[in-house]
């Protein structure tokens, strides 16, 4: 694809995501004590989003092929996994989200995408949101993981690092907060989020041959 065509396609993707999510928000109100009760189970409900151009910046730093399996851990209303499906050749784009309301909104949008563009799913490609605590889900098939970990505790970051170290095919971890994973830190880049600029740590494991 030439540069102009790439820019045009990118604009189409951004407009499509904006249209799909019009009138939808992950910023929900909480019941009294809900956040504190969830934090005891390593679930940090505080919301915010990475912005579309910054997801593109992350994508540009990765080598992605049609066997890759992407997870967004704490996926909110599902924009990042959708952008990976639209903008990269990944085979699977999965989100895992603890908040049922956010997960339901993601799945509603994903159903629309499946209906409107079935060709995006040829070759067994998948786009899915699952509700639950990502620490309790099997992500052992992951090759790329992103987590907007800004509000996570040190305990959760350590547990996540251990989960990542048990994923045999993991090539990249993208995390706002620093991790203690054995996968080497490649670089730290600045990204734009709904609340401010943030650092994103990119961990990268050389591909085994
Ligand atoms: C800051 S938002 C990020 C949304 C989206 N991934 C993005 O980057 O634009 C973090 C999300 O993680 C979810 N979350 C936090 N802890 C979680 C856990 N242990 N399991 C699943 N989801 C979790 C929160 O409910 C929230 O929706």
């Amino acid at each position: 694809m030439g540069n102009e065509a790439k820019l045009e396609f990118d604009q189409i993707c951004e407009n499509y995501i904006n249209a799909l999510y019009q009138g939808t928000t992950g910023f929900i109100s909480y019941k009294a004590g809900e956040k504190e009760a969830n934090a005891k189970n390593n679930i940090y409900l505080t919301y915010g989003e990475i912005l579309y151009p910054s997801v593109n910046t992350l994508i540009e730093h990765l080598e992605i092929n049609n066997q890759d399996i992407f997870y967004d851990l704490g996926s909110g209303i599902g924009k990042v996994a959708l952008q990976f499906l639209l903008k990269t050749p990944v085979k699977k784009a999965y989100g895992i989200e603890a908040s049922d309301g956010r997960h339901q909104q993601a799945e509603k949008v994903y159903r629309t995408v499946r209906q409107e563009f079935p060709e995006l799913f040829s070759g067994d490609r998948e786009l899915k949101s699952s509700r639950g605590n990502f620490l309790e889900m099997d992500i052992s098939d992951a090759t790329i993981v992103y987590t907007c970990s800004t509000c996570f505790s040190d305990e959760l970051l350590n547990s996540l690092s251990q989960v990542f170290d048990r994923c045999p095919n993991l090539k990249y971890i993208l995390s706002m907060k620093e991790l203690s994973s054995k996968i080497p830190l490649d670089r730290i880049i600045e990204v734009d989020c709904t609340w401010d600029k943030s650092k994103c740590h990119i961990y990268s494991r050389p591909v085994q041959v």
Side-chain angles (χ1 to χ4, degrees):
M1 211 191 283
N3 226 14
E4 215 169 293
K6 263 192 199 162
L7 285 173
E8 200 180 321
F9 177 68
D10 183 58
Q11 194 58 63
I12 290 169
C13 292
E14 185 172 13
N15 291 345
Y16 184 49
I17 292 177
N18 287 340
L20 285 164
Y21 281 96
Q22 208 170 20
T24 304
T25 178
F27 293 93
I28 51 174
S29 49
Y30 309 104
K31 295 189 199 104
E34 191 181 354
K35 278 176 108 175
E36 295 73 12
N38 274 280
K40 287 191 184 135
N41 295 320
N42 269 319
I43 293 170
Y44 294 88
L45 290 174
T46 302
Y47 199 68
E49 291 175 356
I50 184 170
L51 301 185
Y52 180 92
S54 289
V55 176
N56 280 343
T57 306
L58 293 178
I59 288 171
E60 279 160 20
H61 281 90
L62 314 177
E63 277 180 38
I64 304 180
N65 65 48
N66 62 7
Q67 295 307 306
D68 277 315
I69 300 184
F70 171 80
Y71 281 87
D72 179 359
L73 301 183
S75 46
I77 59 175
K79 289 181 183 172
V80 179
L82 172 58
Q83 190 169 341
F84 264 76
L85 187 92
L86 295 176
K87 293 291 310 287
T88 79
V90 289
K91 190 173 176 73
K92 319 265 181 205
Y94 294 139
I96 301 178
E97 172 55 47
S99 153
D100 190 47
R102 291 177 187 144
H103 153 71
Q104 296 290 349
Q105 293 190 68
E107 261 309 319
K108 187 167 175 230
V109 165
Y110 292 178
R111 277 196 295 277
T112 305
V113 178
R114 281 183 213 113
Q115 274 166 10
E116 292 184 338
F117 292 101
E119 63 273 24
L120 279 173
F121 299 90
S122 62
D124 282 338
R125 289 187 93 210
E126 264 188 67
L127 174 64
K128 199 171 89 183
S129 170
S130 301
R131 191 185 79 79
N133 183 341
F134 49 64
L135 279 185
E136 295 166 4
M137 316 281 270
D138 178 13
I139 63 154
S140 57
D141 57 352
T143 65
I144 304 169
V145 169
Y146 160 76
T147 184
C148 186
S149 50
T150 313
C151 297
F152 296 174
S153 66
D154 289 346
E155 183 193 333
L156 176 53
L157 294 167
N158 282 332
S159 303
L160 265 181
S161 301
Q162 286 171 24
V163 169
F164 296 152
D165 287 343
R166 289 195 296 270
C167 292
N169 303 317
L170 195 54
K171 302 194 303 191
Y172 298 107
I173 309 168
L174 315 167
S175 170
M176 299 304 184
K177 279 232 193 135
E178 191 180 350
L179 298 169
S180 54
S181 165
K182 294 196 180 94
I183 299 182
L185 179 65
D186 180 26
R187 64 188 78 190
I188 302 173
I189 62 168
E190 196 173 72
V191 291
D192 291 309
C193 300
T194 46
W195 65 93
D196 203 349
K197 290 194 181 303
S198 170
K199 289 191 170 21
C200 186
H201 299 71
I202 303 183
Y203 298 84
S204 161
R205 178 154 53 195
V207 181
Q208 316 274 333
V209 273

